[in-house]
Amino acid sequence: MLFLLNSTIVEVDAPELYVAKHWRRIGCGDPAAMRASDAVDFSIMVVNDLTGDGLALDAETATDLAALIIAKTGANAALFDGNNTAKLNVLPEVVLQGLQRELSKGGVETIKSFWASAA
């Protein structure tokens, strides 16, 4: 399953299984007890902590957050704006595939303009 996280496309196979297997490393607490809002709040905290320290999300963290958000909310796209909010969306897989092709060509500006209408 593809997931759009800000300007990155992440691929996650079996998100629920991924979270069940890696939740201790992720640090989110028992996923079975989490509500969707808890997962979103946790993801916002992680993204804001990293970006606030001037760090970028590494591939593993992006996959962790994508799997958590998919598993708990069903969304396949999230825009974190750094203001303790996240905009979630459910996008058709074909749209995410097209965005993935654009990113592979260096089309980061395409993603930014896409978010203006999608989020």
Side-chain angles (χ1 to χ4, degrees), residues 32-113:
M34 285 186 98
R35 298 179 313 201
S37 61
D38 297 331
V40 173
D41 290 344
F42 175 81
S43 299
I44 291 168
M45 179 194 67
V46 170
V47 170
N48 286 351
D49 283 351
L50 288 172
T51 56
D53 291 341
L55 303 171
L57 287 175
D58 59 61
E60 182 177 69
T61 303
T63 303
D64 293 347
L65 296 180
L68 182 62
I69 292 169
I70 294 167
K72 299 311 284 186
T73 72
N76 64 359
L79 175 63
F80 297 91
D81 63 7
N83 294 319
N84 292 323
T85 61
K87 294 179 182 177
L88 303 181
N89 207 329
V90 178
L91 303 172
E93 188 78 9
V94 68
V95 170
L96 293 175
Q97 291 168 347
L99 291 171
Q100 188 176 38
R101 281 191 299 277
E102 283 297 314
L103 280 173
S104 70
K105 298 176 194 174
V108 174
E109 290 304 316
T110 301
I111 299 291
K112 289 179 183 175
S113 65

